[in-house]
Amino acid sequence: MKRVYPDKDFCIGCHICELACLTAHSKSKDLILAYTVERTGEGLSSCKHVHEGGPTCVALSCRHCDEPACVAACISGALQKDSESGRTVYDREKCVGCWSCLMACPYGAIARHPLEKKIVKCDLCHDRPGGPACVAACPNQALKQEER
Amino acid sequence: MSVTKRKAHEDAMTYVIIGNGVASIGAIEGIRRHDQNGRIVVLGAEDTAAYGRPLISYFLAGSINADQLSLRGDEYYAKNGVELKLGTTVTAIDIARKAVTTDKGETIAYDRLLIATGGVPFIPPIPGVQGQDIYSFTTLAHAQTLIELSGKIKRAVVIGGGLIGLKAAESLFDRGVAVTILELAPRILSAGFDEKAGALAAGRLKKVGIEVNCGVTAKEIQRGKNGRVKGVLLTDGRFLECDVVVVAIGVVPHSSLAKEAGIKVERGIMVDGKLMTSAKDVYAAGDVAQALDQLSGEHRVVPIWPNAYNQGYASGRNMAGAKLPYQGGLPMNSISFYGLPTISVGVVNPPEGDKTFEVHALLDEAKETYRKLVFKDEKLVGYVLVGDIDKAGMYTAFIKFEMPLAGEAKDKLINAGPEVFLWPEKLFDESWNPAPAKAAR
Amino acid sequence: MLFQPINRNYHDFSIVRDKDLCINCKVCIRQCSYEAHFWDESRQKVMHDNAKCVGCHRCEAFCPTSALLIQKKRSDFRDNALWRPEFIKYIYKQADSGGVLLTGMGSPVNIPVYWDKLLLDASQVTNPSIDPLREPMELKTFLGAKPVKLEFSKTKDGSPKLKTRLTPNIELNYPLMFSAMSFGSINFNLHIAMARAATELGICYNTGEGGLHKTLYQYGKNTIVQVASGRFGVHRDYLNAGAGIEIKVGQGAKPGIGGHLPGEKINAMVSETRMVPLGSDAISPAPHHDIYSIEDLHQLIFALKEASEYRVPVSVKIAAVHNVAAIASGIVRAGADIVAIDGMRGGTGAAPGMIRDNVGIPIELALAQVDQRLRDEGIRNRASIVAAGGIRCSADVVKAIALGADACYFATAALLAVGCTLCAKCYTGKCPWGIATNDAKLAKRQNPDVAAKKLVNLVHAWGHEIEEMLGGMGLNSIESLRGNRDKLRAVGLSDTEMDILGVKHAGR
C-alpha cells in the first residue's frame, strides 16, 4: 500500500502540513475558518504533528502499520485494519475514549480529541481526490506518499 | 461489504477456536492473513458475537448502547468465512483423535485447535458468597442484569479495588447506586499502579462520592430469610447494608478443558514460542495462556486485552503455517476514573530495595498529574501516567523497542519527555522512512 | 519602541499583515531567520518588527492565507537627485559602524543594460524560418581550443584519417553553464542539486573556489573545478575530478578583490572540503601571489595542464574591466583554452557595496570587445569565450552568442529558480531561502530533489526558447549564430556604443 513517508533531512518545520490536515478534515474546508472557528470551538485537530529537536524536525502521523498495536489494544473495535486498502481505519462512533490505543501505539501517532472522548488519527485522506493533504501541501517534498 | 467467496478445497485446513473473545478475533485475523480458504469454526459459550469485554462498564454506566458492544460488526464472521456457533460449550478435547465435543453433543474434528477460553472470575470462599445478588461483572449478562436492577437497588458493595472493581463501582454509581469499595491491600490499584497513582484515582472516586475502604474486606455476606443479600460484615467489624455485592478480585485462567485433555498447565496453559501447547497442533492464547512476557523473558499469565489479541493473532498466523515467533507481551492498562485518565505500562512497582532499578517520579497534586518512570540497565522498563497521558505511546516505544537510554538521552527523557529524536537513527529510519524498494526507485 | 538608535526606523521594508486573513498560525515566525515576525505573548498574536525585515519575501511566499505583503517603506526623504535615499542610509550606517558596507548578489545600480537595447532578427520570405518542433536544431557546444585547420592523411585502404591533433574540449548540450558558486557560500544541498542538474542536462556547473566534496566526484564529467587565489580545496585529485579547470583571476561583482567566506559559514564539511580550519575566515588574497604577469599566468595554466595530464581544457576567468580585450588576448596567448568574462552585474555572496556598484564594466561591451580583439589577432580559435554576469533570460543568451560568446555562465538566474528573491543579504549566512547559508536548519530548505528539478526545468525552458529564436532567424545550429552580429540591431544607442558592440542601429 502507499503510505506517507516523512523525510527528516528535508522537513523544514513550517507546520504547513498540519494546517493542510486541519483544513482537509474540517467541515468548511477553509483554512481560516478551520483554524479559527472549528479548531478553537470544536476542537478540530491535525492528525499530523511536527516534532522538533534542535535543527531537526519531522512531521509524523499514523504509519498504518501492518500489525498495528492500536488495533490489538482497541476494546471497542473502533480501530480495525481494512484488509482491502491496508489502512488502519477508525470508526468514531464506536470509540469510547479509553485511550488504550494511545498507550499502545509506540509511534505516538494517536492523540486525544481536545474536547471529546474520541481520538484523532490519520485516515490518509482516503476520500480526498488529490491524496493526503499534508503531502500535497509540503513545500519541500519532505512528505511522500508511495509504495515501499 | 461483499462476502468473500471461499473455495473449500479438499486439502483445506479446519481451524477450531474455542472461545469467542478478543483472542479469537485476533486468531481469525491472523489465520486469514495467510489462509483464505481454510475452514474456521468458532465455538462461543456466550450467546453474543465477540464484544469488547471492557465495554461492559461503559454499558452499565449508560454511556454506550447494546449495539455498540460488538467488536467487529455483524458481517464480520460471514465476510471472513467463519462458522460461528454461539451458546456452545466445549466439553472435551481429544488430542489423539484431533476433535472436540460440545455440550450439544456435536463432535468437531480439527487440524488446528486454539484454546482461547479466557479467564473465570475468582470467587473467594467468603461465607454467603454463593447465591443470588452476587455478580462478578465479567460478562455482558451480568451487566444487563445490573442495569435492570439498578432502578430497584440502593446500595452496592464492590469487593476488590482493582481495575474491574473500580470500573464496576463507577458505572453502578452512575446508575444512581451508592457504592462502597473494599480493598484488602492498603491501597487501591495495587497491582498495576503505585501508591501515588492509586491515591490520585482514589481521590477522584471519593470526590464524586464513592466510598473507598482499604485494608479491609468482607468477612461474611449476610442474607435475609428470603435468601437475598442484606449486607456485608467487614473484617474490621463494621456492617455495610447493601442490595448487591460485586466480587472483582481477579480472574484465573479457564484451563480445565486443557488439563482434562492432558495438556500441560501451570498457572495457565503452557505455550511455546509459537503459542503451541504441549499437544501438537493445539494452541492457546489470551487470558488462559501462560505465554512469553517480553520484559522478564519468562512465561506468565498476563490477562490483559492487547496481549489476548496479539497472542490470538500470532497463534492464528502460526496455525496457518507462518512460523513466526510471538514477540512477547507487555503489561499495559489504560483506564479513566471520572475523567482522570491513567496509564501504566511494564514494570511499575519494582521490588523494594532492588538497586538495579532506578525510579523517577513526579507528582503534582494540584493538577492531578503524576508521572513515574522506571529504568533498569539504562533502559526504560515501565511507566505510570496520571492526568497528562498524551505522550504515553512515545514512552511505550522506549519499552517495547528496548531502546538504550544512557546519559544525555535518559536525562532528556526524564526532563523533557519522550521524543522521537531520542530513537537510534537506524530504528527511526526503518520505522518512519525506510529506503524505497529497489524496484520502486 | 523607546531607547533605540535614531536611524532604526529608516528601514527599507514594511510588513503589511491583513487582519482578516492572518490566523496567527506562526508559519511566518518559523520562516523568518531574521526574527522579524514574533509571537507576542501578552497580545496573544503574531506581531512583527519592520526594522528587521530584509525583504526576502519568504514569509509572504509561505503564508498559507496570503495575509502578508512586503512593501518598500513608504517614508520618503525630501527629493534630492544627488542625495538619493540609499546614500543617506549608507552614511547613517557607516557613521554608526565605521566599517565597509557589505552586500551580496549583483549590482542593482542603474547602469545601461545593453541586452535591452539589442534586438534580434527574424527571417521573412527569402530565407525561410525553421520550426524547431519539426526540424532538428543543434544547441551542442564545445568549449576549448579549436585547430586553425584540419589535416587529413590517407590510410592504406585509401580512407581519410584525421591528422590534426585535437585538444580537449568540454561538450555541452546547451550553450549554458551554472557559474562558480563555492561550497560554503552556498550550501551542499545546492551543490548536489547543481551537480545532478548539470549531469541530467549534459552541461557543466562550476565548483567555485571552495573545493569539491568527495561525494560529488561522481558528477565529474559535468563539473568544472576552480582554482582561485586562496587555493582552497585544491589538490591533485580535485584537479583531476572535473571536465575542466578554471583559474579564477577576477569576479565581476568585485573586481580587484578576493573572496571572503566568514568563519560562521565554515562548518565541518566546508572545513574538510576547503582544507581550512573549522570556523576560521577563509580569505582569498586579491591577487594570485604567483601571477604578476602573462608569463606567470602561462606557467600556472601549464602547471594545471601537467597536473591533469592535458586531459581537460583550462579556463581563465576575469572580471570585465577597462582593458579587458587586451587582457583576454594575453590570457589566450598564455595558453588558456577558455576565457570567461564576468560582467559587473554578476552576483556574489559577499562584496563591499562600493566595489560591487562602481567597479568594472557591463558584460555586453566587454564580450563584444574581447571577441573582436581575438578575431583581429587571428587567435579566436585558440579559446572559447564564456560570457557571465547578468544573463537573465534565453534572449540574453542568444544576444551574447551573437556578440561572440561560445556559452554563457548563469548563477543569479539559477538561484532565482530555487527561490532567491535578491534580497542581497547573502553575507549574513542567514538566507531564509536556504541558499547562502550553512545553518543546518536553513540549509535543509533546499531539497536537492526539488532544486535539481527546478534547475533542469529552467534550462529546458531556455533551450526551447533559444531554439525558437534560432529557427526564427533561419538558423538550425547555435554554431551559426556565434559572433553573427548581423543578427543584432541596436535601439537608442550612441554611435560609440554601437561601434564597441559592433552592431548597426535598428532600421539599418
Side-chain angles (χ1 to χ4, degrees):
Chain A
M1 73 175 291
K2 281 186 174 177
R3 293 185 167 91
V4 175
Y5 296 102
D7 186 343
K8 72 171 163 30
D9 292 341
F10 295 108
C11 173
I12 61 172
C14 65
H15 294 243
I16 285 176
C17 51
E18 294 178 357
L19 300 175
C21 178
L22 199 74
T23 310
H25 293 91
S26 68
K27 286 187 206 119
S28 61
K29 309 290 175 202
D30 173 304
L31 171 58
I32 298 176
L33 292 175
Y35 194 84
T36 54
V37 180
E38 297 182 48
R39 184 178 66 99
T40 49
E42 299 158 30
L44 177 68
S45 311
S46 169
C47 316
K48 199 111 213 154
H49 291 283
V50 176
H51 294 243
E52 288 169 55
T56 319
C57 32
V58 68
L60 305 181
S61 54
C62 173
R63 293 168 70 252
H64 296 271
C65 304
D66 278 336
E67 295 178 17
C70 60
V71 170
C74 180
I75 61 169
S76 68
L79 285 163
Q80 291 185 38
K81 200 72 191 159
D82 181 46
S83 53
E84 276 151 43
S85 67
R87 286 185 299 122
T88 302
V89 293
Y90 171 60
D91 181 347
R92 201 171 191 278
E93 299 309 311
K94 291 199 74 135
C95 179
V96 297
C98 72
W99 319 131
S100 296
C101 52
L102 192 131
M103 157 185 76
C105 171
Y107 302 101
I110 295 175
R112 286 193 282 177
H113 188 280
L115 306 175
E116 296 167 45
K117 281 191 176 168
K118 303 287 174 189
I119 59 159
V120 179
K121 189 192 84 71
C122 167
D123 59 0
L124 280 177
C125 286
H126 63 100
D127 51 2
R128 188 178 177 274
C134 54
V135 175
C138 179
N140 208 31
Q141 284 180 23
L143 290 170
K144 287 186 181 146
Q145 190 191 26
E146 54 194 27
E147 198 83 45
R148 284 192 187 172
Chain B
M1 250 191 275
S2 65
V3 174
T4 316
K5 291 234 165 69
R6 291 188 169 77
K7 282 182 211 156
H9 292 293
E10 280 178 18
D11 56 350
M13 287 268 217
T14 297
Y15 304 91
V16 173
I17 301 171
I18 310 175
N20 187 27
V22 65
S24 173
I25 293 290
I28 294 167
E29 288 168 11
I31 292 167
R32 285 289 176 243
R33 185 134 183 220
H34 300 279
D35 182 351
Q36 288 303 314
N37 297 317
R39 178 180 173 226
I40 302 177
V41 183
V42 172
L43 305 168
E46 290 179 70
D47 54 9
T48 39
Y51 60 90
R53 200 170 297 277
L55 291 182
I56 61 175
S57 68
Y58 294 81
F59 181 51
L60 176 55
S63 57
I64 60 168
N65 305 320
D67 56 5
Q68 284 172 282
L69 288 160
S70 166
L71 203 50
R72 286 294 184 263
D74 298 338
E75 293 165 30
Y76 176 80
Y77 295 96
K79 197 179 172 220
N80 284 285
V82 176
E83 293 169 42
L84 180 63
K85 292 175 188 283
L86 293 176
T88 304
T89 307
V90 172
T91 49
I93 303 169
D94 186 337
I95 59 174
R97 285 177 45 221
K98 293 181 91 167
V100 299
T101 345
T102 72
D103 58 351
K104 305 236 164 84
E106 204 180 350
T107 301
I108 304 164
Y110 65 80
D111 294 303
R112 299 285 183 274
L113 177 70
L114 177 67
I115 307 174
T117 43
V120 283
F122 174 66
I123 307 292
I126 306 167
V129 83
Q130 298 299 331
Q132 57 181 333
D133 300 332
I134 310 288
Y135 299 90
S136 64
F137 199 58
T138 53
T139 62
L140 185 53
H142 280 193
Q144 274 158 338
T145 316
L146 285 169
I147 290 172
E148 285 157 23
L149 280 176
S150 61
K152 301 167 200 158
I153 57 179
K154 288 198 176 67
R155 308 191 66 88
V157 167
V158 174
I159 303 175
L163 293 170
I164 298 175
L166 297 189
K167 288 311 283 184
E170 184 177 327
S171 16
L172 279 169
F173 188 81
D174 285 347
R175 286 273 170 186
V177 179
V179 181
T180 303
I181 296 166
L182 306 179
E183 169 58 54
L184 183 60
R187 57 192 171 85
I188 58 165
L189 295 168
S190 55
F193 289 75
D194 68 355
E195 203 169 329
K196 286 168 186 156
L200 282 177
R204 201 41 96 91
L205 294 175
K206 282 175 185 162
K207 210 188 279 178
V208 297
I210 295 176
E211 215 178 300
V212 180
N213 290 307
C214 290
V216 69
T217 189
K219 195 174 174 187
E220 188 191 345
I221 295 167
Q222 298 189 348
R223 292 176 182 274
K225 281 184 188 139
N226 57 359
R228 304 301 294 258
V229 165
K230 263 168 53 188
V232 178
L233 183 64
L234 306 191
T235 44
D236 62 4
R238 279 187 291 160
F239 179 74
L240 296 175
E241 210 173 289
C242 67
D243 308 305
V244 294
V245 175
V246 174
V247 181
I249 294 186
V251 291
V252 288
H254 185 24
S255 55
S256 49
L257 264 180
K259 217 179 268 177
E260 287 155 17
I263 293 167
K264 190 178 172 198
V265 175
E266 282 184 10
R267 276 199 55 128
I269 302 174
M270 288 300 289
V271 290
D272 67 8
K274 296 192 178 72
L275 297 158
M276 193 159 84
T277 66
S278 63
K280 191 171 182 301
D281 297 335
V282 179
Y283 292 73
D287 293 2
V288 75
Q290 187 167 345
L292 179 69
D293 174 64
Q294 185 197 330
L295 291 177
S296 64
E298 292 165 6
H299 281 60
R300 291 171 54 192
V301 177
V302 182
I304 58 160
W305 184 268
N307 279 8
Y309 180 91
N310 286 329
Q311 288 170 16
Y313 189 80
S315 65
R317 296 189 72 175
N318 281 311
M319 286 192 289
K323 291 184 182 153
L324 287 165
Y326 170 58
Q327 299 289 315
L330 195 59
M332 51 172 74
N333 280 297
S334 167
I335 200 151
S336 300
F337 301 103
Y338 283 102
L340 179 71
T342 70
I343 284 176
S344 74
V345 175
V347 181
V348 295
N349 288 315
E352 217 145 307
D354 188 337
K355 291 267 165 61
T356 62
F357 289 93
E358 186 184 330
V359 175
H360 292 267
L362 207 67
L363 173 71
D364 186 331
E365 270 171 295
K367 284 192 194 153
E368 281 190 290
T369 61
Y370 178 60
R371 186 196 70 170
K372 178 186 197 175
L373 302 179
V374 182
F375 296 89
K376 185 181 167 71
D377 302 332
E378 304 296 317
K379 280 176 191 163
L380 187 70
V381 295
Y383 72 88
V384 177
L385 296 176
V386 178
D388 181 5
I389 58 157
D390 289 324
K391 287 188 168 177
M394 291 299 254
Y395 284 111
T396 304
F398 287 93
I399 305 174
K400 183 167 180 169
F401 302 139
E402 301 182 9
M403 285 185 248
L405 273 172
E408 206 185 327
K410 187 160 108 187
D411 291 345
K412 274 190 185 163
L413 183 77
I414 293 166
N415 298 319
E419 180 46 67
V420 74
F421 299 116
L422 296 175
W423 290 25
E425 190 90 8
K426 191 164 166 273
L427 177 67
F428 181 94
D429 289 341
E430 283 168 2
S431 302
W432 291 107
N433 196 19
K438 286 249 163 65
R441 263 183 201 273
Chain C
M1 298 287 171
L2 293 168
F3 316 117
Q4 62 189 16
I6 52 162
N7 61 353
R8 188 180 183 276
N9 283 344
Y10 300 149
H11 48 78
D12 295 335
F13 296 97
S14 291
I15 299 168
V16 184
R17 191 182 303 274
D18 187 318
K19 284 201 183 90
D20 288 335
L21 297 176
C22 178
I23 56 173
N24 292 300
C25 69
K26 305 182 191 169
V27 166
C28 51
I29 299 178
R30 297 184 194 103
Q31 289 308 308
C32 185
S33 50
Y34 292 92
E35 293 164 340
H37 298 270
F38 60 92
W39 178 253
D40 187 323
E41 198 56 48
S42 49
R43 289 178 177 82
Q44 284 293 300
K45 63 179 194 173
V46 177
M47 299 279 284
H48 53 261
D49 178 352
N50 290 318
K52 288 181 175 169
C53 177
V54 299
C56 78
H57 295 264
R58 178 82 179 178
C59 57
E60 190 183 1
F62 270 65
C63 177
T65 61
S66 305
L68 292 170
L69 179 67
I70 304 302
Q71 287 186 325
K72 275 194 271 183
K73 192 181 182 190
R74 283 197 304 205
S75 152
D76 294 318
F77 293 96
R78 180 179 295 278
D79 284 345
N80 189 317
L82 178 67
W83 288 101
R84 296 193 300 272
E86 65 263 34
F87 292 105
I88 297 174
K89 287 180 192 174
Y90 289 164
I91 291 199
Y92 291 147
K93 276 186 198 162
Q94 291 190 300
D96 281 345
S97 71
V100 171
L101 292 165
L102 268 183
T103 187
M105 294 317 294
S107 178
V109 297
N110 188 19
I111 50 165
V113 178
Y114 289 97
W115 303 129
D116 298 339
K117 312 276 185 188
L118 293 170
L119 298 172
L120 292 166
D121 194 16
S123 303
Q124 305 292 312
V125 186
T126 53
N127 178 19
S129 49
I130 299 167
D131 183 348
L133 295 175
R134 292 187 173 82
E135 292 181 56
M137 187 65 70
E138 189 63 83
L139 297 186
K140 189 149 275 199
T141 298
F142 292 89
L143 297 183
K146 312 288 189 295
V148 181
K149 59 175 181 179
L150 293 177
E151 286 184 300
F152 297 89
S153 60
K154 272 191 180 157
T155 55
K156 275 175 195 162
D157 63 355
S159 60
K161 193 188 165 201
L162 185 64
K163 209 169 130 190
T164 313
R165 237 182 100 179
L166 297 178
T167 52
N169 269 235
I170 295 171
E171 186 182 334
L172 304 173
N173 285 343
Y174 297 85
L176 291 166
M177 294 186 290
F178 301 123
S179 30
M181 290 181 281
S182 71
F183 171 39
S185 73
I186 60 171
N187 59 58
F188 189 63
N189 289 337
L190 281 165
H191 260 233
I192 305 176
M194 282 201 297
R196 283 196 210 151
T199 303
E200 187 178 336
L201 291 161
I203 63 168
C204 278
Y205 82 104
N206 190 309
T207 62
E209 62 171 305
L212 180 65
H213 196 264
K214 286 264 191 266
T215 53
L216 296 183
Y217 278 28
Q218 56 178 310
Y219 304 102
K221 259 181 64 191
N222 300 85
T223 307
I224 292 175
V225 296
Q226 200 179 58
V227 175
S229 61
R231 299 288 196 271
F232 297 123
V234 177
H235 50 81
R236 196 183 63 185
D237 291 349
Y238 172 72
L239 293 174
N240 282 287
I245 302 172
E246 181 169 274
I247 300 168
K248 177 199 175 186
V249 174
Q251 185 179 341
K254 44 181 171 180
I257 62 171
H260 180 173
L261 188 69
E264 296 80 60
K265 278 178 124 174
I266 304 202
N267 62 21
M269 207 172 176
V270 174
S271 150
E272 178 200 340
T273 310
R274 284 206 179 213
M275 308 191 304
V276 295
L278 197 71
S280 72
D281 290 3
I283 299 167
S284 288
H288 283 251
H289 285 303
D290 51 359
I291 306 177
Y292 285 83
S293 64
I294 290 294
E295 290 75 13
D296 288 346
L297 178 63
H298 172 82
Q299 270 203 354
L300 180 59
I301 290 171
F302 279 88
L304 295 175
K305 287 190 175 188
E306 283 288 339
S308 58
E309 297 171 327
Y310 295 87
R311 284 182 298 98
V312 298
V314 170
S315 165
V316 174
K317 177 183 175 182
I318 53 168
V321 289
H322 299 175
N323 291 313
V324 65
I327 298 163
S329 165
I331 288 170
V332 175
R333 289 171 191 284
D337 304 297
I338 301 162
V339 189
I341 319 283
D342 195 10
M344 74 167 292
R345 286 183 300 259
T348 176
M354 287 300 135
I355 288 175
R356 186 192 69 173
D357 297 345
N358 295 286
V359 181
I361 63 170
I363 184 60
E364 301 92 320
L365 303 178
L367 168 62
Q369 282 299 295
V370 169
D371 178 61
Q372 196 56 51
R373 176 71 171 255
L374 298 185
R375 282 170 192 274
D376 292 349
E377 293 184 6
I379 55 172
R380 180 63 182 83
N381 65 301
R382 281 164 59 178
S384 295
I385 300 175
V386 177
I391 304 289
R392 303 162 300 177
C393 61
S394 57
D396 289 357
V397 176
V398 171
K399 291 170 189 174
I401 287 168
L403 279 180
D406 285 272
C408 293
Y409 268 139
F410 70 103
T412 300
L415 297 186
L416 287 166
V418 299
C420 171
T421 54
L422 301 184
C423 76
K425 296 284 176 187
C426 326
Y427 61 94
T428 65
K430 293 202 281 191
C431 176
W433 289 90
I435 299 167
T437 176
N438 296 312
D439 176 330
K441 200 165 177 169
L442 296 172
K444 68 181 172 182
R445 294 180 178 189
Q446 288 294 336
N447 180 341
D449 290 347
V450 180
K453 182 73 196 150
K454 296 208 175 209
L455 295 173
V456 167
N457 281 347
L458 179 67
V459 173
H460 279 159
W462 283 16
H464 290 311
E465 290 175 341
I466 292 170
E467 286 175 352
E468 292 283 353
M469 283 183 270
L470 280 181
M473 288 187 274
L475 305 176
N476 62 3
S477 138
I478 195 87
E479 202 59 49
S480 311
L481 182 69
R482 284 212 169 88
N484 190 347
R485 299 185 199 189
D486 201 35
K487 297 292 183 195
L488 295 171
R489 289 291 184 276
V491 277
L493 293 183
S494 69
D495 287 351
T496 312
E497 287 166 317
M498 287 191 290
D499 178 45
I500 292 166
L501 290 167
V503 298
K504 294 177 195 153
H505 200 278
R508 287 238 159 110

